[in-house]
C-alpha cells in the first residue's frame, strides 16, 4: 500500500469564517451580539408586521414617503427611533437624508467624477482603504469590490468638494453607507450630509482644523458639566476633556469603534433628527457608567471612556435613555457662547 506524500504547499481544508448577521467576521471568543440565530415564530411575525407597516409608509420606491411624513411626522419619528427594518434601511436613509432628490437632479455627475476627474487625495485614500471596517467581508479583499467602491466614493467626493477633499474619518461614514446602497447612492448621501440637504452641514468636521468638531466638543463639555456636575468636576480634576474620547463620536457618528448594531440604530435617528442625537447618546453613555467613572483615576478613566462595557451598548437600554435627555435649547445657547468666545480678541499680557 503506497503511503501518500504530503505536499507542504498544498492548501488544507478551508475553514468557514464565523460571520455575524451584518457581515463582520467574529472572533472565536468575542461577544455574541449580532450572530445569526434561529428566530421564534413570534419574533418572525413581529418583524414581518413591522416591515409591512414600513412598506405601506414608504410606498413603491419611496413614492408615498414625503406625503406620509407631512401627515404623520410623530409616527415616523417613533418608528425610526424603534429602528428601521434592515431590509429597508438603505432606501429609507436616502429618503430621510434628501440624497434621493440630489441623485435625481444630477444624472451622470457621479460617473463623471469617478472616471474623468483626478484628485490630489488619491494616494491618501488608497493608504487608508484597508483601515476601514477591516473585519467586514465586503472590505477585506485587497483591491476587491468593496475597497474599489469605497475608493471611488471617496475620490469622487474629494473632487466634488475640493475644499474638504478627503479626511480619514470620512472612510467610515462612506463605508457604512456602502453596506446599504450602491456607490452612486452612497456618494449622494455623503453630499447630502456634508452640504446639509436636511440638517446642519457636516463639512466643518472635515475642513482644516476641524472647526465644527471643536464647536461640538465645547458644547459637549458644557453639557456634561450641566447634566452630570459630579462627573464634570471629576473630569476637571483629572484633566479629562472631550477631545480625548469624543472626537470620533462626532467625526464618524459612532461608526468607528462602536458595535455595529448600535451604530445602525444611532444612524437611523441621526439622519432623521440631526447631530443632536450624537450629543444625547454621548451623554447617555456617561450617565449609564457615571458611578464607575467618578471613581477612576486618569489612566483608567481614559481606558474606560474608550472601552465602554457591553451592557452599556444595548440600544434598547441606551437609546431610550438618550431620547429622554433634552439638549436642543442648550445647544443653541452654547453655539452662541462658543462663537462669541472665538470673536473675542486675545487678552494682552498684564504689564508688571
Amino acid at each position: 500500500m503506497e503511503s501518500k506524500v504530503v505536499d507542504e504547499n498544498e492548501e488544507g481544508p478551508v475553514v468557514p469564517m464565523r460571520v455575524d448577521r451584518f457581515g463582520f467576521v467574529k472572533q472565536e471568543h468575542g461577544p455574541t451580539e449580532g450572530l445569526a440565530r434561529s428566530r421564534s415564530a413570534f419574533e418572525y411575525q413581529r418583524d414581518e408586521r413591522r416591515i409591512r407597516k414600513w412598506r405601506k409608509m414608504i410606498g413603491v420606491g419611496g413614492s408615498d414617503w414625503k406625503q406620509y411624513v407631512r401627515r404623520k411626522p410623530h409616527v415616523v419619528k417613533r418608528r425610526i427611533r424603534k429602528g428601521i427594518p434592515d431590509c429597508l434601511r438603505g432606501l429609507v436613509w436616502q429618503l430621510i437624508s434628501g440624497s434621493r432628490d440630489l441623485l435625481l437632479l444630477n444624472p451622470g455627475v457621479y460617473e463623471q467624477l469617478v472616471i474623468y476627474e483626478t484628485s490630489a487625495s488619491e494616494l491618501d485614500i488608497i493608504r487608508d482603504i484597508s483601515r476601514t471596517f477591516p473585519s467586514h467581508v465586503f472590505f477585506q479583499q485587497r483591491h476587491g469590490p468593496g475597497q474599489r467602491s469605497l475608493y471611488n466614493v471617496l475620490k469622487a467626493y474629494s473632487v466634488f468638494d475640493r475644499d474638504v477633499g478627503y479626511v480619514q474619518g470620512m472612510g467610515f461614514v462612506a463605508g457604512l453607507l456602502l453596506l446599504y446602497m450602491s456607490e452612486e447612492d452612497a456618494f449622494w448621501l455623503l453630499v447630502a450630509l456634508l452640504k446639509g440637504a436636511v440638517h446642519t452641514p457636516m463639512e466643518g468636521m472635515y475642513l482644516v482644523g476641524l472647526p465644527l468638531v471643536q464647536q461640538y466638543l465645547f458644547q459637549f463639555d458644557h453639557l456634561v458639566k450641566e447634566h452630570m456636575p459630579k462627573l464634570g468636576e471629576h473630569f476637571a480634576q483629572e484633566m479629562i476633556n472631550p477631545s480625548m474620547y469624543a472626537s470620533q463620536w462626532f467625526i464618524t457618528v459612532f461608526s468607528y469603534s462602536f458595535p455595529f448594531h448600535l451604530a445602525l440604530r444611532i444612524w437611523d435617528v441621526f439622519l432623521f433628527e440631526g447631530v443632536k442625537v450624537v450629543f444625547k447618546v454621548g451623554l447617555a453613555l456617561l450617565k449609564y457608567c457615571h458611578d464607575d467613572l467618578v471613581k477612576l483615576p486618569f489612566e483608567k478613566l481614559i481606558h474606560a471612556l474608550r472601552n465602554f462595557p457591553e451592557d452599556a451598548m444595548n440600544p434598547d437600554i441606551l437609546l431610550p435613555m438618550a431620547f429622554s435627555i433634552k439638549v436642543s435649547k442648550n445647544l443653541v445657547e452654547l453655539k452662541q457662547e462658543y462663537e462669541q468666545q472665538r470673536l473675542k480678541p486675545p487678552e494682552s499680557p498684564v504689564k508688571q
Side-chain angles (χ1 to χ4, degrees):
M1 183 176 173
E2 291 183 17
S3 59
K4 185 179 178 183
V5 178
V6 178
D7 183 354
E8 290 182 356
N9 295 320
E10 186 178 324
E11 291 186 8
V14 176
V15 179
M17 291 185 293
R18 288 175 77 236
V19 177
D20 73 10
R21 62 195 170 104
F22 298 114
F24 287 89
V25 178
K26 299 300 292 180
Q27 301 299 319
E28 281 303 312
H29 302 291
T32 56
E33 177 61 48
L35 279 176
R37 63 178 179 84
S38 58
R39 292 184 298 168
S40 69
F42 171 77
E43 288 176 311
Y44 181 81
Q45 289 168 1
R46 182 195 61 194
D47 291 347
E48 286 299 305
R49 280 197 304 271
R50 284 184 63 232
I51 291 168
R52 281 198 297 272
K53 283 180 183 177
W54 271 91
R55 289 195 190 281
K56 186 177 178 183
M57 191 163 72
I58 294 167
V60 179
S63 57
D64 297 338
W65 175 255
K66 288 182 180 178
Q67 187 180 359
Y68 197 100
V69 173
R70 278 195 298 270
R71 278 177 35 238
K72 299 184 178 179
H74 297 298
V75 174
V76 174
K77 182 178 181 178
R78 186 179 72 247
R79 288 183 182 170
I80 286 174
R81 285 186 167 191
K82 284 183 178 178
I84 300 167
D86 206 55
C87 61
L88 299 173
R89 192 165 253 135
L91 172 60
V92 175
W93 281 5
Q94 292 171 62
L95 294 171
I96 60 182
S97 67
S99 69
R100 174 59 64 91
D101 294 334
L102 290 176
L103 171 70
L104 296 174
L105 289 168
N106 294 278
V109 171
Y110 176 72
E111 184 181 13
Q112 172 78 25
L113 293 169
V114 171
I115 297 175
Y116 300 108
E117 302 285 350
T118 57
S119 166
S121 303
E122 287 179 22
L123 291 178
D124 291 332
I125 296 169
I126 291 168
R127 181 196 65 210
D128 291 339
I129 286 289
S130 60
R131 301 174 189 172
T132 304
F133 295 125
S135 63
H136 196 284
V137 291
F138 186 54
F139 298 112
Q140 278 193 325
Q141 185 184 345
R142 187 170 172 79
H143 307 307
Q147 291 196 4
R148 282 201 306 272
S149 291
L150 184 57
Y151 169 81
N152 287 343
V153 170
L154 294 171
K155 181 237 176 175
Y157 193 86
S158 70
V159 175
F160 177 81
D161 185 351
R162 294 186 187 271
D163 289 335
V164 169
Y166 164 74
V167 176
Q168 191 175 356
M170 294 167 67
F172 282 90
V173 173
L176 179 74
L177 302 179
L178 282 167
L179 296 178
Y180 283 90
M181 60 196 73
S182 70
E183 276 183 34
E184 188 173 18
D185 289 333
F187 168 77
W188 286 112
L189 209 157
L190 196 60
V191 172
L193 288 173
L194 270 68
K195 293 300 181 184
V198 175
H199 298 294
T200 304
M202 282 177 67
E203 63 184 351
M205 290 210 278
Y206 305 114
L207 292 168
V208 175
L210 312 179
L212 195 54
V213 179
Q214 303 304 326
Q215 177 196 308
Y216 288 161
L217 294 176
F218 172 87
Q219 291 169 300
F220 190 76
D221 190 35
H222 283 69
L223 288 170
V224 171
K225 291 170 182 171
E226 180 174 331
H227 287 266
M228 290 160 277
K230 189 176 176 183
L231 184 60
E233 187 180 336
H234 183 60
F235 280 174
Q237 287 172 349
E238 296 296 329
M239 294 195 288
I240 298 282
N241 64 69
S243 67
M244 297 174 175
Y245 62 90
S247 297
Q248 289 290 352
W249 298 356
F250 291 101
I251 293 171
T252 69
V253 191
F254 293 105
S255 63
Y256 173 61
S257 59
F258 277 63
F260 197 69
H261 66 286
L262 173 60
L264 290 174
R265 292 283 301 278
I266 294 170
W267 268 80
D268 290 346
V269 182
F270 166 70
L271 290 171
F272 190 65
E273 298 185 31
V275 75
K276 67 182 178 183
V277 76
V278 180
F279 290 94
K280 290 176 175 230
V281 171
L283 290 170
L285 276 169
L286 297 183
K287 204 170 190 178
Y288 186 89
C289 302
H290 179 279
D291 293 348
D292 294 322
L293 294 174
V294 292
K295 299 171 188 171
L296 298 177
F298 178 83
E299 286 185 10
K300 290 184 178 179
L301 200 48
I302 287 291
H303 182 266
L305 289 166
R306 293 174 182 171
N307 301 273
F308 286 96
E310 195 175 337
D311 57 316
M313 301 294 195
N314 181 342
D316 295 323
I317 294 172
L318 184 67
L319 293 184
M321 187 185 294
F323 300 147
S324 72
I325 300 171
K326 306 302 179 191
V327 298
S328 297
K329 185 180 176 185
N330 288 28
L331 287 175
V332 173
E333 293 168 354
L334 288 167
K335 181 184 178 183
Q336 292 170 348
E337 185 180 333
Y338 178 74
E339 288 172 347
Q340 286 168 1
Q341 281 195 16
R342 285 179 62 235
L343 293 172
K344 276 184 186 175
E347 292 183 13
S348 53
V350 179
K351 292 182 181 179
Q352 299 294 325

